[in-house]
């Protein structure tokens, strides 16, 4: 389960504990892509993601959320995610990514420890843009 899935699942009240005993994990919907430049067309490699503000589960699954072959899909909206939630997500992603670089030999142990201590790490999460279900301000091609 990704860190984003864990955050949204917890906010929807169906966190990782829902996946015990063979139960299927609640899933988010989303898409992500690599953005390779900044607003001045300078090289600035970073990720963008659009993620649902809730999780999908089987609608007629029992309380323990076990998946059955004939069950339908239900969307469970997440509670609002706080700035503290986003800061925690940012710390976890930074720690995991720096750890991955360290394990694969791209960073020395002392450099990794130094980067983890930086106040301004270069990692950020912005969840200020929200597209509502009623948002239809898109061009029509039909």
């Amino acid at each position: 389960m990704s860190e984003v899935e864990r955050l949204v699942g917890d906010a929807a009240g169906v966190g990782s504990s829902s996946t015990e005993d063979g139960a299927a994990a609640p899933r988010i919907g989303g898409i992500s892509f690599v953005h390779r430049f900044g607003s001045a067309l300078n090289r600035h490699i970073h990720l963008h993601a659009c993620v649902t503000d809730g999780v999908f589960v089987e609608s007629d699954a029992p309380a323990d959320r076990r998946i059955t072959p004939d069950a339908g899909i239900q969307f469970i909206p997440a509670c609002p995610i706080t700035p503290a939630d986003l800061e925690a997500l940012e710390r976890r992603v930074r720690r995991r990514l720096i750890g991955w670089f360290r394990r694969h030999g791209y960073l020395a142990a002392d450099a990794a420890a130094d980067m983890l201590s930086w106040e301004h790490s270069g990692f950020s999460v912005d969840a200020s843009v929200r597209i509502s279900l009623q948002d239809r301000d898109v061009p029509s091609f039909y």
Side-chain angles (χ1 to χ4, degrees):
M1 179 178 282
S2 77
E3 294 298 339
V4 174
E5 282 180 311
R6 187 179 330 265
L7 172 68
V8 175
D10 289 346
V14 289
S16 56
S17 62
S18 301
T19 61
E20 296 172 2
D21 300 327
R27 301 302 307 258
I28 62 171
I31 184 169
S32 63
F33 57 93
V34 177
H35 196 164
R36 300 181 185 276
F37 54 89
S39 60
L41 298 180
N42 57 320
R43 183 176 179 186
H44 178 66
I45 300 172
H46 57 284
L47 297 174
H48 284 261
C50 294
V51 180
T52 56
D53 58 351
V55 294
F56 296 93
V57 296
E58 297 297 329
S59 62
D60 43 348
D64 65 0
R65 305 228 183 262
R66 289 179 200 227
I67 301 296
T68 59
D70 57 343
I73 304 285
Q74 176 186 8
F75 181 75
I76 300 176
C79 297
I81 295 174
T82 67
D85 294 331
L86 295 174
E87 289 173 19
L89 172 65
E90 180 182 311
R91 283 191 306 272
R92 285 192 308 264
V93 169
R94 177 179 57 160
R95 193 172 49 246
R96 288 182 66 175
L97 186 60
I98 290 173
W100 186 90
F101 282 134
R102 171 68 186 107
R103 285 190 307 279
H104 288 86
Y106 296 113
L107 280 175
D110 56 339
D114 187 39
M115 289 178 76
L116 287 170
S117 70
W118 293 350
E119 181 180 353
H120 302 289
S121 66
F123 288 83
S124 65
V125 176
D126 178 9
S128 63
V129 176
R130 184 171 190 276
I131 301 170
S132 73
L133 181 62
Q134 290 76 31
D135 188 352
R136 296 293 183 243
D137 189 20
V138 294
S140 175
F141 297 103
Y142 304 106

